[in-house]
Amino acid sequence: NQADGVPLQVEVTFLASGVVRMRVQEETPLAPRYDDTQKHVLRDEGQSLVYARGEDLQLVSEAGVHTVSYDGSTAVGSNATFSVRMTERPWTLTYLVDGKPSVQLNTKGFFRFEHLRHKPEDAPEGEWEERFGSWTDTKPRGPESFGMDIGFAGAEHVYGIPEHSSPLSLRATRGKDAYDQPYRLYNLDVFEYELDNPMALYGSVPLMLAHSADATAGVLWLNAAETWVDVEHVRSGLFRRSAGVDTHWISEAGVLDVFVLPGPHARDVFAQYAELVTPTPLPREFALGYHQCRWNYLDAADVLGVSAGLHTHEIPYDVIWLDIEHTDGKRYFTWDAAKFPDPIAMQHTLAQDGHRLVTVVDPHVKHDPAYAVWSDANARGLFVKARDGTDFQGWCWPGDSNWLDCFNPNATAWLGEQYALDRYNGSTTSLFVWNDMNEPSVFNGPEITMDKDAVHHGGWEHRQVHNVNGMLYHKATSDGLRARETPALRPFVLSRAYFAGSQRYGAIWTGDNTATWEHLRASVPMVLSNNVAGIHFVGADVGGFFGNPDSQLLTRWYQLGIWYPFFRAHAHIDTKRREPWLLGEPYLTHIRTAIRQRYRLLPYLYTLFRETSLTGLPLLRPMWVEFPRETSLFAEDSAFMVGSAIMVAPVTTAEAQSVRVVFPSHEVWYDMHSHAAYSAPLTRQFAVQLADTLVFARGGSIVPTRERRRRSSALMQRDPFTLYVYASRTGSASGQLYVDDGESYDYENGSFIERDLIFANATLESRPSVRTDASGGQSAFAAAMAAVRIERVVVVGLLRTFTTATVVEGDHERSVDVSCGDTECTIRDPAVHITNDWAIRLA
């Protein structure tokens, strides 16, 4: 800063993947600036990032302009060329792909950086102390914010930066039809949040993607303080060569740390981000099933009665949930003995049918010297401090409460220990955890959260770390569940607050929504935006948390909710009971049909999670991800893709009589219920009744299912599979089937079955994937699954009819029953095994 004489240090580093990182901070700050966000977010705390070798980069400097070029063969493995041009005065950074600007930093000159300084006697009002209602923020370090413009040249749309209730394609905050305020990233407990609004909600992921028909790029703004983002769509004109999207980012504290993800394709951007933060790991398989929840099931008899009701009405489910009322006076890790006299026996009863229990554990700890959890944490000094050095105290569900300091490693280790089976009385290995209110929510705090000048371990103010706080609580819980068993099993933890990196620790949901058609519709772009930003295991409360949905709305919500990666029905304590059978017919049948559809498709969904865990690709995908050159789909946020094979066009309006469906690309699509074929490109209006759902398989896909009806996913583990082959226009198709034990980490050592399924020339083949390892672990697991077979194959979209089917498995060849129509064949019980190589030939 030449005006103030304060030197700033700018550091630009180049990753082997083509990602470029730029950091700015004071060269000699008056006091340290918070810089540990990278430790909490980046893979292995940033230690395993792979940087480009010097010989893979070329530097050319001339007249204050420095250009670093990648050898295209070493960056993202594409044919594109990548270079970074930096100027000194004014300083700018431009990322070029094939010689064209893609992402531009500070080309509008908005960079500002408030250096730390001593408080002047004539300090301007608000800079060193700020009032908000009845609260005073002392701001003892003074102003320390910074900001910068980031432009996406040629981009038509930008996505990401959840969580907001805005459309998938982010509306502008400047210009025509714009919001009147920037997007805010600041985790908050928001009661009955507004829709189509850039206001802050429960989570914050400072990742933005920009897309055009030619390219995709992204930016990760790695900062955990309150952050604001302006978005402006600009057109080419006299003073601008090309159209694009300009953004302006401002954070309150910390250091400026930006990663530029060059793409150039969407899949490249997802892979580049996954390299930085680690993608969503494989979850416990039961977590993909149906979760039945409300605030609150009254007692053990109520829990077992709801479970029995689901059984009686033949509705599969995996998990039943208990909210805060199950505890002794909102003291977490306890039970209300009158309502739950024998929680272990209750869990064992549920487990007989493969069901699990989830209990809530919130981060506030009831201030009660007689409460063992509080007294132990207090004696160890594990609570967040107020600005005067005393323990920070606020108000939440139990009344007076203290908050564990998740930045204190002793506190997070201690929290994990509370989940040990001998510490959490009444728990078993079939109990899992829900972390709510971890923004953190403080009922009597500013904006219902913690004071910004509260102090964490290391002397850091809450303002500097706020957005990462909930993730660290989530992580400690996940670590605790993992440690309670030997060998460790995969945990399941749901969190409301989240940040970049939260996907490593479990699922999240979109918070306290409302039982309206508007909230039903809004759930789709909210879930999609999270998926684009790497938060894949996400859902919305089916039915809406607040209010009482009518039977039509609740039915439609289930029909949509089965496609959320995380599928849970939940309701407020003041709402009417809404277990599916209470609605009567025909609603019960429609809801049961939807939930059964979810269970049929669990093999496809679990295989899709496997792909996501390796590539970072979204589970639920905006249409533009699969069809990146279809400009009419760039803002589409009602229809969506589930993986690459399934398109869903949900019904989200009351009394809907029809739904418009756009079939993209030059492909054939199949109704997954009737197998009717539709040749794209095509736009068609479909008449719908309440029983109807519009779900289409993409030609060229193979979708594995399990068709036998069970009470839970655990009871399906040895069931046979059915394969649906949806032929492309050329009569070919491909897909995968992935199977492991669904609970351990043995898959990391090769204990899994992963098959490539290929259909061509009227022959379906199963081959081992390139990742299949012939290790002892894989062989042992394969031996355990040796009896699991394919019981049926349905081939849809055949170009001619067939009369025979021949199976070749190993050295054996045999004929099997086949029935064919004009365009479809069903092969009944080919009896081929999922562990073997085999082929089924139609003739």
Side-chain angles (χ1 to χ4, degrees):
N1 187 322
Q2 293 179 334
D4 293 325
V6 177
L8 301 178
Q9 177 177 300
V10 180
E11 181 182 271
V12 181
T13 52
F14 301 80
L15 277 65
S17 63
V19 172
V20 168
R21 183 183 192 182
M22 190 191 77
R23 291 166 48 81
V24 181
Q25 56 182 319
E26 294 168 72
E27 191 170 70
T28 55
L30 189 64
R33 299 180 74 105
Y34 185 73
D35 196 20
D36 276 354
T37 304
Q38 58 178 327
K39 181 179 77 172
H40 301 307
V41 173
L42 298 179
R43 183 193 295 260
D44 299 328
E45 300 184 356
Q47 298 303 307
S48 63
L49 297 182
V50 180
Y51 291 93
R53 300 175 303 172
E55 57 265 35
D56 295 327
L57 301 173
Q58 294 181 338
L59 170 63
V60 176
S61 296
E62 184 177 354
V65 178
H66 311 281
T67 302
V68 176
S69 299
Y70 275 90
D71 175 351
S73 64
T74 64
V76 293
S78 75
N79 294 323
T81 60
F82 300 91
S83 58
V84 177
R85 184 174 64 224
M86 296 165 282
T87 64
E88 293 182 10
R89 296 189 180 184
W91 82 262
T92 66
L93 185 150
T94 299
Y95 202 117
L96 300 100
V97 178
D98 289 333
K100 297 179 181 179
S102 173
V103 182
Q104 301 169 308
L105 310 185
N106 199 42
T107 53
K108 297 183 70 174
F110 288 177
F111 174 75
R112 298 290 187 274
F113 197 100
E114 293 191 286
H115 63 274
L116 297 175
R117 68 206 75 172
H118 295 291
K119 183 178 181 179
E121 292 187 8
D122 58 344
E125 183 177 353
E127 285 194 4
W128 291 81
E129 182 177 276
E130 192 171 357
R131 296 185 183 277
F132 177 77
S134 60
W135 298 275
T136 298
D137 178 5
T138 59
K139 301 178 73 170
R141 293 162 59 97
E144 53 179 321
S145 66
F146 54 85
M148 184 173 67
D149 58 281
I150 301 177
F152 298 96
E156 301 171 38
H157 298 264
V158 289
Y159 312 92
I161 57 167
E163 184 177 35
H164 302 98
S165 63
S166 55
L168 170 68
S169 175
L170 296 174
R171 280 182 58 186
T173 61
R174 299 279 181 90
K176 186 179 179 181
D177 299 325
Y179 290 132
D180 61 1
Q181 57 183 302
Y183 292 90
R184 188 184 186 200
L185 296 172
Y186 192 65
N187 295 356
L188 291 175
D189 179 359
V190 183
F191 180 81
E192 295 185 343
Y193 56 83
E194 299 176 17
L195 299 180
D196 195 10
N197 194 303
M199 66 190 291
L201 290 176
Y202 309 93
S204 300
V205 182
L207 173 70
M208 179 179 285
L209 275 68
H211 180 69
S212 71
D214 297 321
T216 309
V219 163
L220 172 63
W221 178 276
L222 191 56
N223 189 280
E226 180 180 8
T227 297
W228 298 82
V229 186
D230 261 320
V231 174
E232 182 179 11
H233 295 271
V234 293
R235 298 180 179 180
S236 58
L238 181 62
F239 300 103
R240 187 175 181 115
R241 292 182 180 179
S242 63
V245 179
D246 287 343
T247 64
H248 185 198
W249 302 64
I250 300 175
S251 289
E252 184 179 5
V255 302
L256 193 158
D257 195 355
V258 177
F259 292 82
V260 178
L261 287 58
H265 307 295
R267 289 171 180 262
D268 299 323
V269 174
F270 295 129
Q272 290 156 2
Y273 182 65
E275 179 198 14
L276 296 178
V277 302
T278 308
T280 301
L282 275 169
R284 286 288 280 265
E285 193 166 10
F286 78 78
L288 275 62
Y290 173 49
H291 298 249
Q292 182 72 51
C293 182
R294 75 172 281 110
W295 175 24
N296 205 90
Y297 288 119
L298 303 177
D299 51 29
D302 195 13
V303 168
L304 297 177
V306 170
S307 181
L310 290 160
H311 294 166
T312 298
H313 295 92
E314 299 182 310
I315 299 172
Y317 88 99
D318 268 78
V319 189
I320 197 162
W321 292 54
L322 291 175
D323 210 322
I324 55 178
E325 310 302 332
H326 83 278
T327 62
D328 175 14
K330 315 299 189 300
R331 298 170 179 86
Y332 303 109
F333 302 104
T334 70
W335 302 82
D336 184 322
K339 298 175 180 177
F340 298 94
D342 193 344
I344 290 179
M346 177 182 68
Q347 291 166 68
H348 286 164
T349 300
L350 293 172
Q352 290 174 5
D353 290 298
H355 303 311
R356 272 78 170 188
L357 182 74
V358 165
T359 58
V360 70
V361 177
D362 291 347
H364 47 266
V365 182
K366 182 177 177 66
H367 186 101
D368 177 4
Y371 174 29
V373 171
W374 181 89
S375 61
D376 189 26
N378 182 61
R380 297 170 184 266
L382 302 181
F383 294 128
V384 177
K385 303 298 181 184
R387 59 183 176 240
D388 62 3
T390 62
D391 286 344
F392 176 86
Q393 190 161 322
W395 188 266
C396 209
W397 295 123
D400 285 336
S401 302
N402 301 105
W403 275 258
L404 287 175
D405 185 356
C406 293
F407 297 87
N408 181 344
N410 294 328
T412 51
W414 177 88
L415 174 59
E417 293 166 359
Q418 305 313 302
Y419 294 102
L421 298 175
D422 60 353
R423 297 290 296 273
Y424 188 175
N425 292 328
S427 70
T428 71
T429 56
S430 64
L431 181 146
F432 298 86
V433 179
W434 168 20
N435 290 156
D436 200 357
M437 317 296 286
N438 54 334
E439 292 77 23
S441 178
V442 181
F443 290 167
N444 62 337
E447 297 190 274
I448 317 179
T449 194
M450 188 170 285
D451 296 29
K452 285 186 173 182
D453 55 4
V455 181
H456 292 274
H457 179 76
W460 300 111
E461 286 185 273
H462 186 70
R463 82 180 71 253
Q464 298 156 332
V465 302
H466 174 86
N467 284 342
V468 81
N469 180 85
M471 181 177 78
L472 297 188
Y473 195 87
H474 193 190
K475 179 183 185 296
T477 299
S478 178
D479 290 345
L481 292 187
R482 190 180 296 109
R484 73 180 176 180
E485 297 175 78
T486 304
L489 297 180
R490 292 174 240 172
F492 171 75
V493 186
L494 178 73
S495 173
R496 190 170 71 178
Y498 59 97
F499 192 66
S502 286
Q503 71 279 354
R504 298 188 293 252
Y505 310 119
I508 67 102
W509 89 107
T510 62
D512 297 341
N513 59 358
T514 303
T516 66
W517 289 95
E518 292 78 11
H519 272 266
L520 171 65
R521 288 192 291 275
S523 72
V524 176
M526 292 181 76
V527 170
L528 291 175
S529 292
N530 275 292
N531 264 261
V532 165
I535 304 295
H536 305 117
F537 200 5
V538 56
D541 284 342
V542 170
F545 179 66
F546 293 111
N548 295 301
D550 61 38
S551 299
Q552 180 191 169
L553 173 57
L554 187 55
T555 300
R556 289 300 190 196
W557 215 317
Y558 272 98
Q559 291 170 340
L560 169 58
I562 65 167
W563 303 106
Y564 300 151
F566 172 60
F567 175 36
R568 180 184 74 156
H570 186 36
H572 189 274
I573 194 170
D574 293 330
T575 62
K576 298 176 182 177
R577 294 289 286 258
R578 56 172 88 150
E579 289 73 33
W581 60 88
L582 298 178
L583 278 65
E585 295 294 355
Y587 311 103
L588 170 59
T589 292
H590 300 330
I591 292 173
R592 177 170 52 221
T593 298
I595 297 174
R596 285 177 175 174
Q597 173 84 328
R598 170 76 170 209
Y599 277 79
R600 287 182 60 247
L601 287 167
L602 285 180
Y604 175 72
L605 296 175
Y606 195 64
T607 299
L608 189 56
F609 261 96
R610 166 69 166 180
E611 179 187 39
T612 295
S613 73
L614 296 169
T615 66
L617 280 168
L619 296 161
L620 255 60
R621 299 174 188 172
M623 298 298 294
W624 68 264
V625 171
E626 286 296 317
F627 306 97
R629 300 188 69 85
E630 300 263 354
T631 57
S632 64
L633 299 177
F634 290 177
E636 172 63 48
D637 59 9
S638 55
F640 54 88
M641 297 292 294
V642 183
S644 62
I646 296 174
M647 178 174 68
V648 179
V651 182
T652 57
T653 56
E655 307 297 340
Q657 301 298 309
S658 65
V659 173
R660 177 177 174 268
V661 177
V662 177
F663 295 100
S665 191
H666 292 275
E667 300 184 13
V668 61
W669 295 81
Y670 300 93
D671 185 309
M672 289 190 70
H673 307 301
S674 69
H675 293 170
Y678 303 93
S679 293
L682 173 70
T683 299
R684 174 165 174 165
Q685 204 78 16
F686 285 85
V688 292
Q689 296 181 346
L690 189 58
D692 298 325
T693 57
L694 300 176
V695 183
F696 303 93
R698 185 180 185 177
S701 303
I702 298 177
V703 177
T705 68
R706 274 175 161 154
E707 302 290 333
R708 301 193 180 185
R709 295 173 182 171
R710 306 293 187 188
R711 288 182 170 180
S712 68
S713 65
L715 303 181
M716 301 168 66
Q717 294 302 304
R718 296 294 186 271
D719 282 354
F721 293 89
T722 292
L723 300 179
Y724 285 88
V725 179
Y726 299 98
S728 69
R729 292 188 178 202
T730 60
S732 62
S734 63
Q736 276 199 329
L737 173 64
Y738 175 82
V739 182
D740 63 24
D741 64 21
E743 61 178 15
S744 78
Y745 291 96
D746 291 349
Y747 71 91
E748 295 179 347
N749 298 315
S751 291
F752 61 83
I753 297 164
E754 188 173 51
R755 309 296 299 184
D756 288 336
L757 306 169
I758 302 98
F759 182 75
N761 300 317
T763 300
L764 176 64
E765 293 186 66
S766 173
R767 307 168 185 167
S769 75
V770 295
R771 289 182 290 267
T772 297
D773 183 358
S775 66
Q778 195 274 339
S779 299
F781 181 69
M785 299 292 289
V788 179
R789 70 188 197 282
I790 306 297
E791 69 172 349
R792 190 164 62 125
V793 175
V794 180
V795 186
V796 183
L798 291 168
L799 302 179
R800 66 182 184 87
T801 190
F802 298 87
T803 57
T804 64
T806 302
V807 171
V808 179
E809 187 173 18
D811 297 329
H812 303 284
E813 182 173 315
R814 63 185 184 276
S815 296
V816 294
D817 291 337
V818 60
S819 60
C820 294
D822 292 338
T823 61
E824 182 173 324
C825 284
T826 300
I827 304 163
R828 294 183 177 83
D829 200 16
V832 291
H833 296 87
I834 64 170
T835 56
N836 296 346
D837 295 352
W838 48 260
I840 303 173
R841 185 173 61 251
L842 296 172

